[in-house]
Amino acid sequence: MDNRDRKQYAPATERNRQPILEVLQKVIPKEGNILEIASGTGEHACFFAPYFPNQQWIPSDPDRLLRLSIEAWREDCTGNNLQLPLDINVTLPDWDEKLDDSAIAVIIAINLIHISPWSACQGLMKGVGKLLHSGGILYLYGPYKQKGKHTAPSNEAFDQSLQFRNPAWGVRNLEDVVELAEKYQLILHQIISMPANNLSLIFHHL
Ligand SMILES: C[S@@+](CC[C@H](N)C(=O)[O-])C[C@H]1O[C@@H](n2cnc3c(N)ncnc32)[C@H](O)[C@@H]1O
């Protein structure tokens, strides 16, 4: 299979990558590696990694074909700090033990927790709580309900379409995510409004 056959494309990444990058450039510290959970096609990783040349960008996805896509994008990526993708499924116990915890300063999950069962959010928070040290950063991006209500008709329609595809999926309630994170010493530090009614959430490890 050549590179073109392995590469997958998610058109939304081209729309959201620049606004996400602008947030990441503000919140990512100058040192420490960056672990990306649910990297999907790898387009984000390939776009973001060159902006953080002194840090390793570690992509991951549990889907084998997506890991092949990440590898294909990686081959065309400028710079040399994008690592090979790891097979990480955050619903598996102790997924965090695959990593050398001391090196991870930031963990990123873009469009994961609404397109997976709630158990993925639970597993994500538990592992992130163990992997990050004090001051470490968790970055989440996606749509959220607030106080149980949708913030835009488009998010409500999206939520319905997700639940139609899989009843365990759905736009999460911000307050539930924040409460779960706190159980693992991850404290919401900042909420940033993003285009298309999405939010960037920045958590700091106590
Ligand atoms: C909507 S895609 C988002 C991909 C990418 N972050 C983006 O924004 O284009 C959701 C991704 O979550 C991954 N995923 C689903 N369940 C997961 C789990 N339990 N642990 C880690 N990743 C998971 C899927 O394989 C898929 O790549």
Side-chain angles (χ1 to χ4, degrees):
M1 228 195 279
D2 82 10
N3 226 11
R4 273 170 309 175
D5 297 327
R6 288 182 295 149
K7 265 185 180 173
Q8 295 191 41
Y9 297 82
T13 59
E14 290 203 359
R15 295 192 292 273
N16 61 28
R17 66 187 191 178
Q18 186 61 35
I20 294 175
L21 173 66
E22 284 165 21
V23 175
L24 294 180
Q25 286 179 311
K26 290 192 188 109
V27 304
I28 291 184
K30 295 264 174 284
E31 287 177 1
N33 296 332
I34 301 151
L35 171 65
E36 185 186 15
I37 302 293
S39 300
T41 61
E43 289 162 279
H44 273 150
C46 183
F47 178 74
F48 295 144
Y51 289 92
F52 304 93
N54 301 321
Q55 292 156 280
Q56 293 297 308
W57 189 285
I58 307 165
S60 72
D61 206 278
D63 185 310
R64 191 183 64 84
L65 291 178
L66 288 172
R67 289 198 303 281
L68 287 178
S69 175
I70 297 166
E71 286 179 22
W73 279 100
R74 178 177 176 269
E75 283 166 25
D76 292 344
C77 187
T78 54
N80 57 4
N81 66 327
L82 179 55
Q83 292 197 357
L84 284 167
L86 298 177
D87 177 4
I88 292 181
N89 179 339
V90 293
T91 60
L92 297 180
D94 303 323
W95 63 264
D96 50 283
E97 288 176 6
K98 287 193 175 176
L99 290 134
D100 168 10
D101 64 347
S102 59
I104 308 289
V106 181
I107 299 177
I108 290 174
I110 299 169
N111 289 325
L112 167 65
I113 65 170
H114 55 287
I115 311 188
S116 56
W118 180 243
S119 57
C121 190
Q122 290 171 314
L124 174 75
M125 294 300 183
K126 188 174 181 192
V128 170
K130 284 197 277 168
L131 262 179
L132 290 181
H133 295 289
S134 178
I137 288 164
L138 170 65
Y139 172 87
L140 299 185
Y141 171 93
Y144 292 87
K145 290 189 274 187
Q146 294 192 21
K147 297 183 180 155
K149 291 199 169 67
H150 285 292
T151 58
S154 58
N155 281 4
E156 186 166 7
F158 181 48
D159 191 22
Q160 282 169 3
S161 73
L162 288 173
Q163 290 182 43
F164 182 73
R165 283 167 68 191
N166 185 331
W169 294 2
V171 172
R172 306 299 172 198
N173 194 36
L174 176 65
E175 291 77 10
D176 296 341
V177 176
V178 170
E179 188 183 326
L180 177 64
E182 283 176 2
K183 275 177 64 180
Y184 300 104
Q185 315 291 306
L186 298 162
I187 308 304
L188 182 65
H189 176 71
Q190 204 178 357
I191 303 176
I192 300 171
S193 293
M194 304 295 285
N197 304 302
N198 289 291
L199 296 179
S200 284
L201 303 184
I202 293 120
F203 296 85
H204 286 186
H205 198 292
L206 274 183

